[in-house]
Amino acid sequence: MANHHTRQVPELSNDERQELQGWLRRSKTSQALALRARIVLACAEGVSDKAVAERLETTRVTVGKWRHRFLEKGCDGLLDEPRPGAPRRISDEDVERVITTTLESMPRGATHWSTRSMAQAVGLSPMAVSRIWRAFALQPHRHETFKLSRDPLFIEKVRDIVGLYMAPPERAVVLCVDEKSQIQALDRTQPILPLRPGLPERQTHDYRRNGTTSLFAALDIATGEVIGRCYRRHRAVEFRKFLSVIDKAVPRDLDVHLVLDNYGTHKTALIHTWLARRQRFHLHFTPTSASWLNQVERWFAEITRQQIRRGSWASTQALETAINDYLDVYNEQPKPFIWTKSADQILETIQRYCQSINDTEH
């Protein structure tokens, strides 16, 4: 009787190996299909499912599924199977044509494809194009921005700051500090129409400017509590005043580690002189163009969404009162942001971005 528990190792023909390797070399291959190809190639080496799963950072179940699928149907078994339902009206060639056209070309007179322009280009209906795009997670209408830091000490600074987040020093407070500058006190030209059943709150698109303020904030990474002050100007003088607020707020027997960006007001002679007299303060600067490393930026996003963006204030003082009220309410039940990515994981992700950029340029 055959042993059904014997693990079968895929034996690849030259054509099959070339096809799998071709999927990996092609920069436009979907992530899912590339993973399946890597699984089969690794299994063909005689590596165990567990070892393949660890190498490719997936599960043994996933490895076993695609190894069995390849043994049953070859390379075709790695492609997504059609869902049960009505017979397909779109051929594999149609699908490939839509995907290839989407990934490897641009429409005339536009920066990206729409369902209508793609439908016209490939001779299918807009609905068919939309379904193909959804099936392969293609979204030509969306785009995101990014900026890679050119800081020569980028790696050292990432390891330093993430180290503070993951393993804070004993008998010390770690504060993420920054300024949200030039917050405008905007007053709508007409009264805001309140929320009604079936209607959202409505406000005029035009407004009057009634001055600006800057919010200086220090987020305690352990408790989530925020020390905040509003100042009308945004200079080294105001930053020194805010450092004094922090100095008074933190118990004297604790060291203070500040995570800061590279803004000029943080490095002036005035600040250096103030810090020289207070040895318990330790500064950790984020790399240039890497504000995402500073956790207080996440808190700034919250106060902007919940209080600032939709507000209407007749004066700067009214704006500052609203900000201070938000601080009071927030600090009644503060919640820290949980940092989960290690420095190695962050650096590996950035390395993949850089590799993608190099592949695109070539």
Side-chain angles (χ1 to χ4, degrees):
M1 180 180 295
N3 185 356
H4 293 288
H5 297 286
T6 301
R7 180 179 175 278
Q8 292 180 276
V9 177
E11 296 182 3
L12 304 182
S13 67
N14 289 336
D15 290 343
E16 288 173 334
R17 186 176 297 275
Q18 289 178 6
E19 185 169 4
L20 293 172
Q21 291 174 343
W23 289 347
L24 297 181
R25 285 193 299 269
R26 185 173 179 179
S27 61
K28 305 299 183 180
T29 298
S30 71
Q31 299 264 344
L33 185 57
L35 174 62
R36 297 165 194 172
R38 290 189 179 95
I39 287 173
V40 173
L41 288 170
C43 289
E45 299 172 5
V47 182
S48 69
D49 287 2
K50 179 179 179 182
V52 174
E54 291 176 352
R55 181 197 300 181
L56 300 180
E57 297 182 353
T58 186
T59 66
R60 292 178 64 180
V61 173
T62 300
V63 173
K65 171 184 175 180
W66 295 110
R67 178 170 58 81
H68 284 298
R69 189 77 66 84
F70 180 83
L71 289 169
E72 293 173 359
K73 302 180 181 179
C75 291
D76 290 343
L78 304 185
L79 302 175
D80 289 316
E81 293 183 338
R83 296 181 179 180
R88 288 182 57 186
R89 299 179 182 178
I90 304 172
S91 67
D92 290 339
E93 291 75 15
D94 291 332
V95 173
E96 182 177 4
R97 190 166 69 255
V98 170
I99 295 172
T100 303
T101 305
T102 304
L103 296 176
E104 300 181 0
S105 68
M106 299 280 283
R108 293 183 59 192
T111 59
H112 59 279
W113 290 102
S114 67
T115 53
R116 291 184 180 277
S117 61
M118 177 59 67
Q120 186 175 9
V122 299
L124 296 173
S125 69
M127 181 61 71
V129 171
S130 178
R131 287 174 178 168
I132 294 171
W133 280 351
R134 283 201 304 271
F136 287 85
L138 295 172
Q139 299 176 310
H141 65 286
R142 294 188 58 189
H143 81 287
E144 296 177 351
T145 60
F146 72 95
K147 184 175 182 179
L148 296 176
S149 174
R150 297 181 181 273
D151 195 318
L153 298 177
F154 178 81
I155 294 177
E156 291 83 352
K157 290 179 178 179
V158 168
R159 293 195 181 281
D160 176 40
I161 292 173
V162 175
L164 282 177
Y165 294 161
M166 305 291 280
E170 295 183 0
R171 300 205 59 75
V173 173
V174 178
L175 300 175
C176 293
V177 178
D178 203 359
E179 306 88 41
K180 185 173 179 61
S181 60
Q182 299 294 305
I183 306 172
Q184 297 190 68
L186 303 178
D187 189 16
R188 301 293 162 178
T189 57
Q190 297 179 34
I192 295 175
L193 300 179
L195 176 71
R196 291 284 186 269
L199 290 174
E201 177 187 283
R202 288 167 292 169
Q203 57 184 217
T204 59
H205 70 277
D206 52 342
Y207 47 79
R208 288 184 292 268
R209 294 185 175 91
N210 294 316
T212 62
T213 191
S214 293
L215 172 59
F216 289 66
L219 170 72
D220 187 331
I221 68 165
T223 66
E225 188 174 356
V226 174
I227 303 169
R229 290 292 186 278
C230 289
Y231 299 102
R232 298 296 171 87
R233 302 191 67 178
H234 182 217
R235 304 168 299 174
V237 173
E238 284 74 32
F239 182 58
R240 202 250 335 137
K241 290 179 181 178
F242 186 58
L243 288 177
S244 296
V245 173
I246 294 174
D247 193 25
K248 293 177 182 178
V250 178
R252 292 291 174 183
D253 60 335
L254 298 179
D255 280 356
V256 183
H257 291 262
L258 303 181
V259 176
L260 299 162
D261 65 16
N262 294 273
Y263 193 65
T265 57
H266 300 159
K267 300 180 178 181
T268 63
L270 176 66
I271 302 303
H272 283 302
T273 302
W274 189 91
L275 290 170
R277 302 194 191 102
R278 294 162 178 83
Q279 296 299 313
R280 71 178 184 139
F281 277 76
H282 309 274
L283 272 55
H284 306 261
F285 290 101
T286 61
T288 56
S289 304
S291 60
W292 47 269
L293 267 175
N294 195 330
Q295 292 192 43
V296 77
E297 296 293 341
R298 180 68 182 83
W299 183 82
F300 280 149
E302 287 297 305
I303 190 173
T304 300
R305 180 178 63 85
Q306 295 181 4
Q307 180 70 294
I308 296 174
R309 183 176 295 141
R310 284 171 53 177
S312 182
W313 299 280
S315 66
T316 305
Q317 183 177 357
L319 169 61
E320 291 175 344
T321 299
I323 291 173
N324 290 328
D325 288 344
Y326 180 88
L327 277 164
D328 291 340
V329 173
Y330 174 83
N331 283 328
E332 289 176 1
Q333 293 182 312
K335 293 183 180 180
F337 300 111
I338 306 302
W339 192 273
T340 58
K341 289 283 188 179
S342 69
D344 286 339
Q345 290 173 317
I346 292 171
L347 295 172
E348 287 172 4
T349 299
I350 293 173
Q351 184 179 18
R352 288 197 296 270
Y353 270 117
C354 293
Q355 186 61 50
S356 298
I357 293 171
N358 290 336
D359 291 343
T360 301
E361 290 177 348
H362 291 88

